[in-house]
Amino acid sequence: MINDTTTDVAPELACPITPVVDVVFSRWTTPILWVLNEYGRHRFVELERRITTITPKVLTERLRRLERDGLVVRTYHPEVPPRVEYEISDLGRSLAPLFAALSEWSVNLDKVEQARLDYDTRDHHPSRRTSL
Amino acid sequence: MINDTTTDVAPELACPITPVVDVVFSRWTTPILWVLNEYGRHRFVELERRITTITPKVLTERLRRLERDGLVVRTYHPEVPPRVEYEISDLGRSLAPLFAALSEWSVNLDKVEQARLDYDTRDHHPSRRTSL
DNA sequence: CGGTATCCAAAGGGATACTG
DNA sequence: CAGTATCCCTTTGGATACCG
């Protein structure tokens, strides 16, 4: 079983967006949705080649999950050799503004980077403080 | 080491928003950011109590990471007993529209739920197909 | 109060090989 | 081609106890 519908765990007690995050932003799902949304229908191997580092096992798992959640549509063509096509659903497409917003926020990534540098420069180990 | 700045791994080859997702939507960070954004400054125990199921260990880890990434500001008051306050930074606050968009998309969660029911109703085990 | 330290179980996910 | 099946390793995170 990939998603258990019955067990909603706790973080959303304090935060209403946690359930959405769980559906959309689990690992590997963003690249898959992004690709299908930007470049249209893909066969299994095409996805494999585009998302170069994903293994077939994991790709299958994520696609099943996205299909089950209604974000992706899988079409099986019973030919020889078999042909399967994946495309984004209307529901999946409704995430586009969200993705756009995330994409825009990316300009702030260098601030994050800078913050990390600053943080790592400062001393956070009490035992090693040099100043008094 | 919590975040390794040097190793950017692969999914973003196919998807420009993966780095943002990694920064903002790792587990437990959304509840924390949400709470700090909605309800203002919090002390450590206050966060613990609001996000009921988080353990102090994990809360510490997430807060350090958020601080390092510049999304949260930690202020230490050297009193007895010690007092520490966490608040969201300007950079963190700039995520608000994103959070709002996610919150709006939540209305689609019942479609996801329905899709799951449909999927689980259909038969996906070839060996057990009942139709011909 | 605001954390650390330690231990450990479960889950995620990679590598590899195989199949209808 | 489009996956499965296995194995196994690493990481995440929960439980618990303790400390300045």
Side-chain angles (χ1 to χ4, degrees):
Chain A
M1 189 174 306
I2 298 178
N3 279 335
D4 189 339
T5 319
T6 61
T7 56
D8 263 1
V9 233
E12 60 266 27
L13 289 177
C15 172
I17 68 175
T18 299
V20 190
V21 172
D22 286 346
V23 169
V24 182
F25 299 116
S26 42
R27 184 152 161 91
W28 291 115
T29 59
T30 18
I32 294 172
L33 286 174
W34 180 276
V35 164
L36 293 180
N37 187 57
E38 291 291 306
Y39 307 106
R41 258 179 309 188
H42 279 67
R43 304 178 62 170
F44 190 87
V45 286
E46 292 172 340
L47 284 171
E48 264 190 299
R49 284 197 274 260
R50 222 183 250 279
I51 309 167
T52 49
T53 54
I54 199 170
T55 62
K57 177 198 159 197
V58 174
L59 181 55
T60 304
E61 286 170 0
R62 298 301 118 160
L63 285 171
R64 287 293 169 278
R65 181 156 163 177
L66 289 168
E67 187 195 0
R68 188 170 104 107
D69 287 352
L71 299 174
V72 158
V73 178
R74 176 181 184 271
T75 311
Y76 177 77
H77 304 274
E79 308 167 358
V80 185
R83 186 163 57 91
V84 174
E85 290 189 315
Y86 293 93
E87 58 187 320
I88 197 162
S89 69
D90 288 344
L91 188 56
R93 230 183 309 275
S94 75
L95 291 166
L98 215 53
F99 282 21
L102 278 164
S103 190
E104 282 169 34
W105 200 87
S106 293
V107 300
N108 291 304
L109 281 176
D110 57 351
K111 293 181 189 168
V112 171
E113 190 56 36
Q114 188 57 50
R116 288 176 182 173
L117 290 172
D118 291 353
Y119 184 94
D120 294 345
T121 300
R122 283 194 301 270
D123 192 353
H124 302 278
H125 299 277
S127 56
R128 294 187 193 164
R129 286 209 189 280
T130 52
S131 63
L132 58 112
Chain B
M1 192 173 306
I2 297 178
N3 280 337
D4 189 339
T5 319
T6 61
T7 57
D8 264 1
V9 233
E12 60 265 27
L13 289 177
C15 173
I17 68 176
T18 298
V20 190
V21 171
D22 286 346
V23 168
V24 182
F25 298 116
S26 42
R27 184 152 162 90
W28 291 114
T29 60
T30 19
I32 295 172
L33 286 174
W34 180 276
V35 163
L36 294 180
N37 187 57
E38 290 292 305
Y39 308 107
R41 257 179 311 190
H42 279 68
R43 303 178 63 168
F44 190 87
V45 284
E46 293 172 339
L47 284 171
E48 264 190 299
R49 282 196 275 262
R50 223 182 250 280
I51 309 169
T52 50
T53 54
I54 198 169
T55 61
K57 177 198 159 200
V58 175
L59 181 55
T60 304
E61 287 170 358
R62 299 300 120 161
L63 285 171
R64 287 293 170 279
R65 180 157 161 177
L66 289 168
E67 187 194 1
R68 187 170 104 107
D69 288 352
L71 299 175
V72 158
V73 177
R74 175 181 184 270
T75 312
Y76 177 76
H77 304 274
E79 309 166 359
V80 186
R83 187 162 56 91
V84 174
E85 290 189 314
Y86 292 94
E87 58 187 319
I88 197 162
S89 69
D90 288 343
L91 187 56
R93 229 185 309 275
S94 74
L95 291 167
L98 214 53
F99 282 21
L102 277 164
S103 190
E104 283 169 34
W105 200 86
S106 293
V107 300
N108 291 305
L109 281 177
D110 56 352
K111 294 182 189 168
V112 172
E113 191 56 37
Q114 188 58 49
R116 288 176 181 173
L117 291 173
D118 292 352
Y119 184 93
D120 294 345
T121 300
R122 283 195 297 273
D123 191 352
H124 302 279
H125 298 278
S127 55
R128 293 187 194 165
R129 286 208 190 280
T130 52
S131 63
L132 58 112

